[in-house]
Each structure stands twice: as structure tokens, then as C-alpha cells.
Amino acid sequence: MHKNSKIYIAGHTGLVGSAIHRRLLLSGYNNIIVKSHSALDLTSQAAVEEFFLSQKPEYVFLAAARVGGIMANYNYPAEFLYENIMISANVIHASYKNDVKKLINLGSSCIYPNDISCKITENDLLSSKLEKSNEAYAIAKISALKLCEYYNRQYKTNYLSLMPTNQYGINDNFNLETAHLLPMVMRKFHLAKMYANDNYGEIVKDLKKYKVGWGYDEELDFDDCGTIERVLNKLGIFKDCVILWGDGSVYRELMSADDLADACVYFMNNIKAQEIGSCVNITSGKDIQLNDLFMLVKNIVGFAGDIKYDSKMPNGTTRKLMSDERLKKFGWKPKISLLQGIADVYNWYKEQV
């Protein structure tokens, strides 16, 4: 890409899309196209084709998706499958029809089977069954990966599929019903700290800003501390402890979205689709047990209470650690440590409330 190349970021308001936007701006790219969902519905083929025809982007970052945590995936599988297939198919096909020079398609580690005991390589794709809790999202992301692969084969396009591990960062979703693991846990500890300090003013600002989900927002009376306390307790948030799902024994990989954005720009500028095959994992090749992750977040937030577990609730996949061996061959690796990344996000989060 040149500094004045016409670049379209699909999903620029989301966690990853906004990180790519920041990365491009900081690097001096000055011809970036963005459209909000209200201005461009990516599930509409007609709207997407009209947009591409009128704008003629040269490079595309496909970061738009319907995303959510384990319960959102479980409760809304039809929406997760339909919307994500439509978004990907429309953007990829419109890119082909309008001669886009290069496209980065962002997937997810959930495309891989859930029964692999060693580090997951790109060759493990479609080797066995998917995790049921997010099967719909995974199928949509596999479809997008395969669509890029087949367009490259049939039409000689240059569409790269990157499969990042679990992301966190600025502009994450903090709604306690639909959030991914890290922002959900971070917010619970933050609210518990405010609760323990009887800082109801800050709690009210937080609840108004980010909502909580589960239908509890309708119960909140911001002038009644008792009502606020009842909702917090229903969410597992107390003055002396926070209750989290599962038992803390499983492992998760985490990467800062700013690292992923750096990888996206690096691959866009340096690597051709034909070099990577079907996809490449974007990962550090390291994971962390949730017990340790929760203690790390608790300490960064500064909550002095205990962590308790609701073992009746699901843990999710025991372990899903991606291999970084193929990634290393392309000369890129993440730079932001988990400690620094989480601290940066928490500082940003406090500034928003």
C-alpha cells in the first residue's frame, strides 16, 4: 500500500477494525474509507455492490462481523451464521468485481476443532468436529476463509485469511451478557471495587454507559441504591467477592487488538496470498490458565475481594492453543505483553465512564 492508496476498513468501529484504523492513521495513510452500519448495511448485497462501485477501494480489511461471548453465540446461532456469511460473501465478491488489489479477511481460532490436544496448526482445519457453543460463528468464518481460497484459485485474486487468537483492547464490548471473556471479567471487578467503596456515583455512570444485559437494565432505578445492589448481586458482583463461571481450570490465548492490527498491516504490505496457503494463525503461541488470568485482572483493577466460581456454568473448551510456527516464517510476532495490554485497556476503560 502507498500512503495515498484508497483503503476500506469494513467494521471500523469494532474492536479490531478500530485498531486497524488507528494503526493506519499513525502510519500516515491518508485515504481511508469507513462507513458506519447505519450508512452501509454489509448484509445487503445491493448496498455493498453500490458502495464498491462508487468508491472503488484498492485495498480492503474485512474486520466486520457479528461477535459475542459464549452465551450470545449459544442464544443467537441463526443470526451469527446468517449475518456473518452475508457480510463476508458480499464484501469478498464485491472486491472481486471491482478489482480490489488485495484483501485481508479476519477469521477466528474457533474455526478449528475442539478436540486437538497439541498446538493447533493451520492444517487442522476441518479435521474433526467444532465446539458446539460457537459452531454457527465458526461455520461462517470457515466459509469466508474458503471463499477467499477459492477466489484466489479460480480468479487469481490476492485475498489473505488471518486467523487471530482471542482479542481484547480499546473499543471492546463491555455489556455483561454479550461481552467476550476479558472485558466481562474486567468490568465485574471494576464494579465490585466501586461497590466495596460505596462509590454509587461511579457505578451509576458505568451502568448508564455500558448497560448490563440479561434484561436487568429495566430493573435499575438509579436513584435507589438497593435496586442497584440487587442487580449487581444477580450478576455475581458483591463487595467482598466476584462470582465467575466455570472453575478457572481451562486455558485461553489472548492478544491485544493493537498487535493484530500491526499484523494486518504487515501482511497487507509484505505477504502474498499464495505464500500462506489457506490461512495463517496470528498468535503468540502461548496461553494462560483462567485462574491466573483472573488474578492478573483483579490485581490490575485493584479489587481486594475474593474470586468465587459457579461450577454449574460452562467452562467452554478446555484448551485451544494455536501454533505460531507458520507465522514465524513470515517475520512477524506480537509485541505487547498481557500485563501491559490489560493495564492499557483498563486505563482506557476508566476514562470512558
Side-chain angles (χ1 to χ4, degrees), residues 6 46-57 94 97-98:
K6 203 167 191 180
V48 173
E49 292 197 348
E50 180 182 353
F51 167 75
F52 271 77
L53 186 61
S54 64
Q55 296 293 326
K56 291 291 184 180
K97 289 180 66 176
N98 290 275

Side-chain angles (χ1 to χ4, degrees), residues 7 21 33-34 114 119-120 155 168 175 210 216 226 236 245 253 258 261 277 299 320:
I7 304 166
H21 197 188
I33 313 166
V34 294
N114 68 348
K119 284 190 176 183
I120 301 167
Y155 300 124
Y168 68 91
N175 180 289
Y210 288 110
Y216 296 147
W245 286 11
E253 290 182 80
D258 287 311
N299 291 335
K320 186 172 271 191

